[in-house]
Amino acid sequence: MLQTKLTAPFYGHVRQYHNLKAEIDAKMAEVLESGQYVLGPMLKSFEQELAEFHGTKHAIGVGNGTDALWLTFKALGIGPGDECITTANTFFATAEAIWVTGATAVFIDSDPRTNCIDPTKIEAAITPRTKLLVPVHLYGQCADMRAMRKIADKHNLKVVEDNAQAICGRGHGFKIAELSDAATTSFIIQKNLGTFGDGGAVVTNDPEIDRIVRKLRNHGSEKRSCHSMGYNSRLDDLHAAVLSAKLKHIAEWSELRRQWAARYTKGLAGAQHITLPYETPGYYHVYHLYVIETKQPKHRDVLLQFLNDAGVDAKCHYPIAIHQQLGYPWGHEARIAGPIPNSERNAACCVSLPMFPELAAEEVDYTIEKLLEWDRTAQ
Ligand SMILES: Cc1ncc(COP(=O)(O)O)c(C=O)c1O
């Protein structure tokens, strides 16, 4: 009998498209027939839906998640001489966006369990130049925003949440964008809410951030033919159409992600050589990524290779911390405040297992089986 080899893919966007084809195609056709593709009615209605979803007064669609960050920083007046505190174990764009403004990126350590920014390390890194905190809701779990708010109030700092990975997530008693000046997100293909290309957004309750980001994203223009210095970073209406169709499903997809996460956690509970993701009590982690860590750094690449060879498309997020990248900091201003062993351990030991709503139970179980097989023989 012919047996097909089991595999487990890392991405599921084509499966997702097939499941939602009629809804997405209809929305896209609406845009195509309208003849309005940039700053058109679909973008406007999606921005309203996104603001409602977050419970914020405003949402602004921009070109990508990186632009969402630095356009917001610029709207807050961040620039050369200012210091912005964040972590080194995030996607590169968090720091890149700080550098785009000419400001100084200050890296502090992450919490050893959540891998998000460690609030207990912030105050020691604050100087008279510090203007901004940029917590990242890494892997789909919110950073401790209550602690951020307290520190920001005490030291008169701005806070922008890098929420590229945790849309639909929440903390214990707080929502994303509730305790900050603004939250930004990315809609790149593989995100929990992803389009078929690039996209991003800013959500905020601050009318000035809304006004300035809107102006900056459109060549510094609030009125036709009148300009001040700006950029071109708009979320196209075709992307807004895809995202509008998908936004209706984000709650059910988040639940599915959590179900797969629970299945992994149960199945891998007895493994000796890895640490499983930590979910802060009371938080709603949306598992953009299900990231385990090998207890020993030397095991990481071996495990990754073992899984890949077995047809499990595991990956690493992010194997090189920002301050360990070749050429860092490329002539930009940067400071590492204190030792950052947790961020460095996270980079050295992380392995992301397949995680998307459309996974099949046998793919998750196969991944668990292979991981346990490796775990039994690891030394
Ligand atoms: C934490 C984080 N910040 C920022 C970004 C940048 O978003 P984009 O790729 O849409 O520019 C991403 C994702 O790509 C991300 O994961």
Side-chain angles (χ1 to χ4, degrees):
M1 200 171 68
L2 199 74
Q3 277 207 323
T4 39
K5 191 171 172 262
L6 256 171
T7 56
F10 197 77
Y11 297 118
H13 20 267
V14 178
R15 288 185 195 178
Q16 188 169 86
Y17 175 55
H18 291 158
N19 290 344
L20 235 63
K21 193 170 179 344
E23 288 167 60
I24 291 173
D25 289 359
K27 278 272 184 187
M28 288 178 77
E30 200 181 317
V31 175
L32 293 173
E33 294 293 345
S34 78
Q36 293 173 274
Y37 309 139
V38 177
L39 299 181
M42 186 61 81
L43 175 61
K44 201 167 173 202
S45 64
F46 173 64
E47 287 178 337
Q48 275 164 6
E49 289 161 15
L50 195 67
E52 265 167 42
F53 177 81
H54 284 92
T56 54
K57 293 197 178 107
H58 314 281
I60 313 108
V62 297
N64 54 68
T66 313
D67 289 3
L69 282 165
W70 65 258
L71 287 166
T72 306
F73 300 163
K74 278 188 178 278
L76 288 169
I78 301 297
D82 297 333
E83 290 189 347
C84 308
I85 296 178
T86 191
T87 37
N89 58 322
T90 170
F91 181 60
F92 189 72
T94 313
E96 199 174 34
I98 295 170
W99 287 320
V100 167
T101 69
T104 303
V106 176
F107 300 106
I108 65 162
D109 207 7
S110 43
D111 179 286
R113 293 191 298 183
T114 64
N115 293 306
C116 293
I117 193 166
D118 182 346
T120 66
K121 303 284 163 52
I122 295 175
E123 287 198 281
I126 292 175
T127 72
R129 291 170 56 195
T130 308
K131 292 283 157 43
L132 176 70
L133 304 178
V134 190
V136 181
H137 302 325
L138 199 71
Y139 304 150
Q141 175 155 245
C142 288
D144 182 351
M145 290 305 299
R146 283 188 189 283
M148 290 309 121
R149 189 66 264 152
K150 261 195 204 147
I151 296 166
D153 287 343
K154 185 169 162 197
H155 297 273
N156 194 23
L157 307 176
K158 301 289 184 190
V159 185
V160 175
E161 298 168 63
D162 181 340
N163 186 34
Q165 305 192 356
I167 195 161
C168 201
R170 56 184 179 270
H172 189 40
F174 67 85
K175 291 188 294 192
I176 286 166
E178 188 184 341
L179 299 174
S180 62
D181 294 276
T184 65
T185 196
S186 163
F187 301 127
I188 193 168
I189 321 158
Q190 67 269 25
K191 291 295 191 259
N192 290 26
L193 180 64
T195 185
F196 303 126
D198 277 309
V202 180
V203 294
T204 181
N205 287 313
D206 182 336
E208 267 307 276
I209 294 180
D210 177 61
R211 187 183 70 78
I212 300 174
V213 172
R214 271 179 204 288
K215 189 173 171 184
L216 289 177
R217 77 170 174 181
N218 189 32
H219 304 290
S221 175
E222 287 177 302
K223 193 171 153 209
R224 191 173 170 79
S225 303
C226 298
H227 299 271
S228 59
M229 181 56 199
Y231 311 87
N232 179 353
S233 182
R234 301 168 299 213
L235 180 69
D236 293 334
D237 282 55
L238 274 173
H239 288 307
V242 174
L243 293 164
S244 172
K246 288 191 176 191
L247 185 62
K248 296 179 181 61
H249 298 271
I250 190 76
E252 100 211 26
W253 289 339
S254 300
E255 274 298 300
L256 283 167
R257 285 176 180 274
R258 288 176 58 78
Q259 269 178 37
W260 296 134
R263 197 174 181 106
Y264 276 133
T265 298
K266 189 165 174 234
L268 295 171
Q272 299 295 307
H273 296 95
I274 56 169
T275 308
L276 301 180
Y278 174 77
E279 198 172 318
T280 310
Y283 279 48
Y284 189 78
H285 190 328
V286 289
Y287 291 95
H288 170 55
L289 297 164
Y290 186 92
V291 179
I292 60 167
E293 285 183 15
T294 55
K295 287 187 180 161
Q296 299 184 56
K298 70 168 190 188
H299 278 160
R300 196 271 300 283
D301 290 348
V302 183
L303 170 60
L304 192 66
Q305 192 64 54
F306 181 90
L307 292 174
N308 291 168
D309 288 348
V312 174
D313 191 12
K315 298 190 185 297
C316 291
H317 298 82
Y318 298 92
I320 309 174
I322 293 171
H323 66 296
Q324 294 172 328
Q325 293 283 348
L326 195 67
Y328 162 91
W330 308 274
H332 294 286
E333 294 293 326
R335 184 160 69 80
I336 301 168
I340 53 172
N342 297 322
S343 297
E344 289 173 356
R345 188 218 60 248
N346 180 223
C349 301
C350 60
V351 176
S352 313
L353 303 183
M355 170 54 78
F356 54 90
E358 299 76 14
L359 272 170
E362 56 266 31
E363 291 168 335
V364 175
D365 292 345
Y366 178 68
T367 303
I368 293 170
E369 181 194 317
K370 286 290 144 190
L371 221 147
L372 292 178
E373 192 181 315
W374 171 81
D375 192 72
R376 279 192 293 275
T377 55
Q379 291 176 6

